[in-house]
């Protein structure tokens, strides 16, 4: 029963009107707690369905609370991976102004974003808020300016999905850091209780601004960093030139957009399939095929939503790798719907190539109304290196997919003018 977690909660009363629930990390009073924790087998835990348990626990917490704060241990660890990859919607990465802390936290952010791509559950990219803490900006002005520049350089791309392009990353760190106050370095004093939250330059004030930003889901940036969040009247976007692959004369950049429900072993299989398909297409197309493959072409620190949306608009065909979770994935449904919308034009030929992942006999196991009337390609999910029969079935499906793609590419209409003009 997933709700049994409540049996281990501590109720903490802040005052007569406010309280919160605390779930300790373990039974630290147990005589053998440290040894048991060290011996815990995370690999066996996940092999026996531990990931599904954490997923159900996560969903239950979302129902029971408005906000859930998870304190993750520092560095790379199995438990840290759960806290920074599977559980959170937002990763608040707190670090101090030294090279070890700064580079260590940046590595954790990158590892978390990459782990998020390989997660066996349908998730988007993490929203990351890096927070510079114990920062002495008033007493060491020259050193603080130097470190603000270093921090801004290191974390320049981490905030892209929520920070407007007219706001400099340095502005965030300069206005949204947690100051060093020696008095609170002794004992367990709470700054928000002893100092309050209204005095600029205090720890409580900074924590209140960070809280405002998180509560607003990053929408109310002005409350957090002030007027620099307001878009200047004379601001104009800078259009970055992309050298390769370039836009063709018909307005497209890619031949294929690969759509699939990521998770578990399917990631590795799709990667091999896309690589094999690319080699097949090279033999029959006049130029090397342009394929947008999220697993390969998206990188930590980029604005994933923006890149995916652009790639969808700039792709001629959708290569949909359809397995049972495909039509319940929010992201897959969005990608499918966009190409269906383009197909609805009167002069449009089919733009979707459904590759159905077959069972061990090669037969299709997917039944969905959206697939009816479409030419489907069935590909065995058996590894092509395991058996002679599976190798044959795999390459038959691979060949059929390549032939279907080549045929459909000949009939793709030029991009719509209103889309092409926006790149």
């Amino acid at each position: 029963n997933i709700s049994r977690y409540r049996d281990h909660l501590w109720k903490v009363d802040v005052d007569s009107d406010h309280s919160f629930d605390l779930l300790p990390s373990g039974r630290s009073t147990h005589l053998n707690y440290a040894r048991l924790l060290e011996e815990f087998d995370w690999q066996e835990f996940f092999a026996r369905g531990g990931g599904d348990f954490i997923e159900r626990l996560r969903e239950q917490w979302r129902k029971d609370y408005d906000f859930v704060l998870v304190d993750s241990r520092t560095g790379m660890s199995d438990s840290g991976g759960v806290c920074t990859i599977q559980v959170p919607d937002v990763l608040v990465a707190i670090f101090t102004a030294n090279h070890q802390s700064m580079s260590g936290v940046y590595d954790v952010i990158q590892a978390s974003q990459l782990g998020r791509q390989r997660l066996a559950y349908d998730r988007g990219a993490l929203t990351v808020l890096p927070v510079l803490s114990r920062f002495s900006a008033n007493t060491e002005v020259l050193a603080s300016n130097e470190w603000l520049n270093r921090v801004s350089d290191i974390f320049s791309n981490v905030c892209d999905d929520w920070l407007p392009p007219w706001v400099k990353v340095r502005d965030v760190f300069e206005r949204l850091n947690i100051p060093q106050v020696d008095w609170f370095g002794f004992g367990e004093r709470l700054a928000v209780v002893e100092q309050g939250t209204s005095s600029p330059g205090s720890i409580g004030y900074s924590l209140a601004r960070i809280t405002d930003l998180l509560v607003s889901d990053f929408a109310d940036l002005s409350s957090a960093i002030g007027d620099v969040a307001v878009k200047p009247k004379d601001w104009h976007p800078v259009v970055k030139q992309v050298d390769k692959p370039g836009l063709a004369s018909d307005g497209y950049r890619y031949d294929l957009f690969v759509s699939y429900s990521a998770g578990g072993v399917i990631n590795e299989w799709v990667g091999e399939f896309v690589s094999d398909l690319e080699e097949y297409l090279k033999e029959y197309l006049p130029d090397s095929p342009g394929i947008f493959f999220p697993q390969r072409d998206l990188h930590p620190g980029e604005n994933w939503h923006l890149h995916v949306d652009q790639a969808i608009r700039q792709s001629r065909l959708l290569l949909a790798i359809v397995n049972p979770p495909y039509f319940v994935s929010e992201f897959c449904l969005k990608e499918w719907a966009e190409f269906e919308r383009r197909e609805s034009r009167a002069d449009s030929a089919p733009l979707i190539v459904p590759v159905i992942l077959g069972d061990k006999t090669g037969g299709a196991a997917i039944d969905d109304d959206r697939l009816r009337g479409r030419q489907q390609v069935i590909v065995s999910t058996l590894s092509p290196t395991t058996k002679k029969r599976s190798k044959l079935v795999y390459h038959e499906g691979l060949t059929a997919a390549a032939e279907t793609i080549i045929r459909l590419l000949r009939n793709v209409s030029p991009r719509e003018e209103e889309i092409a003009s926006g790149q």
Side-chain angles (χ1 to χ4, degrees):
N1 185 351
I2 205 71
S3 62
R4 286 187 57 192
Y5 82 89
R6 298 190 184 96
D7 298 338
H8 305 281
L9 293 175
W10 296 356
K11 177 70 72 173
V12 180
D13 293 322
V14 179
D15 53 36
S16 58
D17 298 321
H18 301 90
S19 65
F20 62 88
D21 292 338
L22 175 67
L23 182 63
S25 60
R27 293 181 295 171
S28 57
T29 56
H30 193 287
L31 292 177
N32 296 319
Y33 174 72
R35 179 180 60 81
L36 293 173
L37 182 62
E38 184 177 346
E39 294 175 354
F40 187 82
D41 191 333
W42 284 94
Q43 187 172 358
E44 181 183 1
F45 172 75
F46 283 107
R48 296 176 61 181
D52 292 336
F53 170 78
I54 292 173
E55 193 70 6
R56 295 197 304 274
L57 186 61
R58 179 182 186 271
E59 290 305 313
Q60 187 63 49
W61 286 345
R62 290 174 67 95
K63 294 177 183 177
D64 293 346
Y65 299 98
D66 295 318
F67 299 96
V68 178
L69 306 180
V70 181
D71 183 18
S72 174
R73 63 182 298 179
T74 57
M76 306 291 188
S77 64
D78 293 300
S79 59
V82 171
C83 297
T84 60
I85 297 173
Q86 183 174 355
V87 172
D89 295 313
V90 178
L91 179 63
V92 181
I94 300 177
F95 63 99
T96 55
N98 63 72
H99 291 290
Q100 182 179 10
S101 178
M102 185 169 59
S103 60
V105 163
Y106 183 77
D107 288 345
V108 169
I109 292 172
Q110 283 204 311
S112 299
Q113 293 287 29
L114 289 172
R116 192 84 160 190
Q117 293 183 50
R118 304 187 183 103
L119 196 61
Y121 307 95
D122 198 18
R123 291 278 199 284
L126 271 172
T127 298
V128 179
L129 174 60
V131 176
L132 177 58
S133 66
R134 291 162 49 191
F135 190 61
S136 300
N138 295 327
T139 57
E140 299 292 342
V141 178
L142 292 179
S144 66
N145 281 328
E146 180 182 338
W147 275 99
L148 281 172
N149 291 333
R150 290 176 182 172
V151 167
S152 301
D153 289 341
I154 290 290
F155 295 97
S156 59
N157 295 323
V158 170
C159 309
D160 280 352
D161 63 330
W162 58 268
L163 190 65
W166 57 85
V167 179
K168 298 177 181 178
V169 177
R170 182 187 162 112
D171 291 335
V172 175
F173 288 114
E174 190 172 356
R175 291 164 173 80
L176 212 59
N177 63 73
I178 301 175
Q180 169 70 17
V181 180
D182 293 340
W183 170 257
F184 293 105
F186 302 96
E188 287 78 33
R189 297 180 175 87
L190 297 178
V192 295
V193 174
E194 297 196 20
Q195 279 189 331
T197 60
S198 60
S199 177
S202 68
I203 293 177
Y205 183 86
S206 296
L207 292 176
R209 303 291 77 73
I210 293 171
T211 301
D212 289 341
L213 186 60
L214 294 173
V215 168
S216 72
D217 196 20
F218 293 85
D220 188 9
L221 191 57
S222 295
S223 294
I225 65 174
D227 292 342
V228 294
V230 179
K231 182 179 178 180
K233 294 181 179 180
D234 59 350
W235 182 86
H236 298 286
V238 177
V239 179
K240 295 182 178 180
Q241 298 298 322
V242 179
D243 296 330
K244 186 179 180 181
L247 286 175
S249 59
D250 60 358
Y252 295 102
R253 178 165 282 122
Y254 306 101
D255 294 306
L256 295 173
F257 180 97
V258 181
S259 172
Y260 68 104
S261 180
V265 296
I266 190 66
N267 291 354
E268 182 177 353
W269 188 95
V270 173
E272 293 178 0
F273 178 78
V274 171
S275 179
D276 292 339
L277 179 64
E278 196 166 19
E279 293 302 314
Y280 266 65
L281 292 174
K282 284 180 181 178
E283 299 296 323
Y284 300 100
L285 293 176
D287 301 308
S288 294
I291 299 178
F292 185 86
F293 183 31
Q295 181 177 319
R296 177 188 64 195
D297 298 325
L298 293 177
H299 306 286
E302 293 181 337
N303 187 331
W304 290 10
H305 298 294
L306 176 63
H307 283 232
V308 168
D309 288 345
Q310 287 180 340
I312 289 174
R313 295 195 300 269
Q314 296 170 356
S315 297
R316 294 179 176 87
L317 301 176
L318 177 74
L319 180 68
I321 311 294
V322 181
N323 60 344
Y326 185 89
F327 286 115
V328 295
S329 164
E330 174 187 352
F331 303 101
C332 294
L333 289 174
K334 176 182 176 182
E335 292 155 7
W336 182 285
E338 175 58 25
F339 280 85
E340 266 194 334
R341 184 194 68 79
R342 285 165 50 185
E343 284 181 335
S344 66
R345 294 170 55 191
D347 59 341
S348 177
L351 300 176
I352 300 176
V353 181
V355 172
I356 315 300
L357 301 192
D359 56 24
K360 293 182 179 180
T361 63
I366 311 294
D367 182 23
D368 190 279
D369 290 341
R370 282 162 284 215
L371 294 171
R372 296 197 175 103
R374 296 188 179 277
Q375 182 172 347
Q376 304 169 26
V377 177
I378 300 173
V379 180
S380 172
T381 54
L382 289 173
S383 169
T385 59
T386 53
K387 295 179 182 178
K388 184 176 181 180
R389 170 60 184 161
S390 67
K391 184 175 183 179
L392 177 62
V393 172
Y394 174 83
H395 283 286
E396 286 176 349
L398 190 64
T399 303
E403 291 175 347
T404 302
I405 290 167
I406 292 168
R407 178 174 54 80
L408 293 183
L409 282 174
R410 299 191 187 107
N411 300 312
V412 177
S413 301
R415 282 179 66 195
E416 299 173 9
E417 290 185 6
E418 68 272 17
I419 294 179
S421 62
Q423 301 297 297

